[in-house]
Amino acid sequence: MSKKKAQARAEKRAKQKAAYQRRKRPDRMLVSAMMLFFFTAFLLISVQGEIHVDGLALAVVVPLMLYIATMWIPRFFPADKLLLAIANFLCALGVLILYTTDRGAGTSRGMQQAMYYGVGIVAMAVCIFLVRYIRNWDFLIKVVMLGAAALMVLPLAIGTEQNGATNWIVIGGTSLQPSEVVKIALLLVLGWYMGRQRFWPWFLFAVFCLLVLMLQKDLGTALIYYTTTLFLFFASTGNLPLTGLGALGGCGAAVVGYKMFAHVKKRVAIWRNPWIYYETSGYQIVQALMAIASGGMFGVGLGLGAPRVIPVYFTDAIFAVICEQFGIIFGILVLAMYVILILRGASIAMSARHSFHAIVAMGATVMLGVQTFVIIGGVLKLIPLTGVTMPFVSYGGTSLVSCMGLIGLIQGVSSVNQDDLSYDYEISRSLQETAMLPKADWEVD
């Protein structure tokens, strides 16, 4: 009887030790810290003055969505949880910042962004399963090309102009930017045809997209498309002379765009010296720089400051709002998250064994990296400010869903990589076990 009791105690201690190790897993600790951060932040901002029920709801819903996207969805496939954690932290941060700026403004961008975040999680899951389970894209890629081409030309027919570019359509009272959705289609087309060394299909599709974007005067998105395509061409072929020629062609197109479009000339002039145009077109960038400076190292506090004095602060200049409320140190940490995300994506792409997966993952990583540099570089006055959004953070349903779809592509490739490693391990172990068998057991007479 004492032996059975001792065995029961040993089993109990083993279970307690296993439960403790599960609680101390780094991924659980990281996600728990993020959930606590956003729960506390939404709770504090929603009880300032009078109690706001929508803020209390977000204090529960946003951490829950973060947990689902980072810990629950990966139960169905191998996952890179650090990649998921960073992307979802940035999405939740966008919801938080937008909600704080809604206070007293009569807007509901924070609640809308939370809904877009939920749709983005679904889009991410769909992209993961597409990359993970579809092996033959030959027919589907043609459907993707036709659908993407139709989406691209829609703004030319029924589009509305915003900030000098005609790249939006309104469906059922909701504004959509088709070029954001086509980003995913572009990567799939480039990955499929570049991986099979078929030049003309991807080249004609990319040229078509760029020409449509030029007609729409959406030069920021055109820059992202062109840079991504050129980088993937070099990654898939290693042809340095043609890549250099393409880079020169891009510089030439930039000069042509500068001479053709008045709003491009204005943005370059503002970039060179925004203080001359402070009371007119330079007001936005000056106010963004002043907001960053006023935040100092540690910020003025959550929900404080004057973000609404910055024109279009919720899309173009949301990084300045982050720095104003949380401080420059926090802003640097946000930049570090983007750097880690890009390095993680590049590592996943380089570990892929299939050319299609490698090109898709690298393209999604480059696209997110270029977009991040373009918008944050513009806010910091490193380059002329363009109308692109800050990935995951800026207000906008199409942009958020598109960025989460790009993460889904990278994560899908990561899960395939881990399956390949598991397969290699099983084969290696099987061979080792076979080699250890006595010769008479497996030798064929």
Side-chain angles (χ1 to χ4, degrees):
M1 191 69 179
S2 59
K3 187 177 180 180
K4 290 183 179 179
K5 288 183 178 180
Q7 186 177 1
R9 288 196 209 98
E11 291 177 355
K12 184 178 180 181
R13 283 195 297 268
K15 290 180 180 179
Q16 290 175 344
K17 184 177 180 180
Y20 177 79
Q21 289 176 345
R22 283 196 300 270
R23 288 196 300 269
K24 291 298 181 181
R25 277 170 45 187
D27 56 343
R28 289 182 178 271
M29 295 176 66
L30 176 62
V31 173
S32 298
M34 292 192 299
M35 293 175 66
L36 180 62
F37 172 80
F38 287 111
F39 173 78
T40 306
F42 279 110
L43 186 64
L44 288 175
I45 199 69
S46 60
V47 297
Q48 287 182 359
E50 57 184 81
I51 296 177
H52 297 267
V53 179
D54 53 352
L56 296 176
L58 288 177
V60 176
V61 172
V62 172
L64 180 62
M65 287 194 295
L66 193 151
Y67 176 82
I68 290 172
T70 308
M71 300 297 294
W72 186 75
I73 291 180
R75 293 181 181 180
F76 300 99
F77 48 81
D80 188 324
K81 291 186 178 179
L82 179 60
L83 179 73
L84 293 177
I86 292 174
N88 284 279
F89 178 88
L90 293 171
C91 291
L93 179 63
V95 177
L96 175 62
I97 293 297
L98 290 169
Y99 180 73
T100 62
T101 58
D102 285 334
R103 298 290 304 274
T107 56
S108 58
R109 295 189 183 96
M111 293 295 295
Q112 293 177 37
Q113 190 78 348
M115 291 187 289
Y116 297 147
Y117 179 26
V119 177
I121 292 174
V122 175
M124 180 187 70
V126 170
C127 288
I128 291 172
F129 281 96
L130 286 176
V131 174
R132 181 172 171 79
Y133 294 111
I134 294 181
R135 292 292 179 262
N136 187 2
W137 287 78
D138 199 32
F139 171 75
L140 186 59
I141 209 71
K142 295 180 176 63
V143 177
V144 169
M145 291 175 69
L146 291 174
L151 278 175
M152 286 295 292
V153 299
L154 271 180
L156 296 177
I158 59 173
T160 59
E161 182 176 330
Q162 294 186 20
N163 299 320
T166 310
N167 55 350
W168 292 86
I169 59 174
V170 180
I171 299 178
T174 303
S175 296
L176 301 174
Q177 192 173 358
S179 58
E180 289 289 335
V181 179
V182 177
K183 285 179 179 178
I184 297 175
L186 176 67
L187 294 180
L188 294 175
V189 171
L190 293 177
W192 183 252
Y193 287 115
M194 282 185 176
R196 280 150 184 75
Q197 298 182 352
R198 295 176 60 184
F199 176 78
W200 288 109
W202 71 259
F203 178 77
L204 293 176
F205 181 75
V207 169
F208 170 79
C209 292
L210 289 171
L211 289 176
V212 174
L213 290 172
M214 292 294 287
L215 292 175
Q216 296 174 2
K217 302 179 183 179
D218 188 1
L219 302 186
T221 306
L223 173 63
I224 296 171
Y225 274 46
Y226 188 82
T227 305
T228 303
T229 302
L230 188 63
F231 187 94
L232 292 183
F233 171 75
F234 176 72
S236 62
T237 64
N239 193 322
L240 187 58
L242 281 181
T243 304
L245 186 63
L248 291 175
C251 294
V255 173
V256 172
Y258 174 79
K259 293 183 178 298
M260 286 180 58
F261 303 123
H263 71 284
V264 176
K265 291 182 179 179
K266 183 184 296 183
R267 287 183 177 180
V268 173
I270 295 168
W271 167 63
R272 293 178 63 184
N273 191 348
W275 301 97
I276 298 177
Y277 309 95
Y278 170 70
E279 294 184 354
T280 55
S281 53
Y283 184 78
Q284 182 187 36
I285 186 64
V286 169
Q287 289 296 331
L289 293 173
M290 292 173 65
I292 295 173
S294 66
M297 299 301 291
F298 301 103
V300 297
L302 182 64
L304 303 178
R308 289 190 291 273
V309 302
I310 309 173
V312 205
Y313 64 88
F314 45 88
T315 53
D316 294 358
I318 196 166
F319 182 72
V321 180
I322 293 173
C323 291
E324 182 182 30
Q325 294 194 11
F326 288 100
I328 295 175
I329 293 178
F330 188 87
I332 293 173
L333 293 176
V334 170
L335 292 178
M337 289 184 185
Y338 281 109
V339 172
I340 295 172
L341 187 149
I342 292 165
L343 293 176
R344 201 76 170 182
S347 175
I348 290 170
M350 290 187 290
S351 300
R353 301 185 183 179
H354 309 281
S355 56
F356 171 69
H357 291 153
I359 294 171
V360 166
M362 185 60 75
T365 302
V366 171
M367 194 168 279
L368 289 171
V370 172
Q371 184 170 338
T372 302
F373 172 76
V374 167
I375 184 58
I376 296 181
V379 172
L380 298 178
K381 215 176 87 62
L382 298 175
I383 59 175
L385 183 64
T386 60
V388 301
T389 55
M390 184 174 169
F392 310 106
V393 181
S394 290
Y395 173 71
T398 318
S399 173
L400 179 56
V401 172
S402 171
C403 290
M404 291 296 282
L406 294 177
I407 291 295
L409 296 180
I410 300 173
Q411 183 59 65
V413 175
S414 175
S415 66
V416 173
N417 292 349
Q418 294 185 47
D419 282 344
D420 291 339
L421 288 175
S422 299
Y423 176 77
D424 287 349
Y425 174 76
E426 292 297 331
I427 293 296
S428 176
R429 188 175 65 174
S430 177
L431 291 174
Q432 289 177 356
E433 291 175 352
T434 303
M436 293 173 63
L437 291 174
K439 186 176 181 181
D441 289 345
W442 56 271
E443 184 179 39
V444 179
D445 294 333

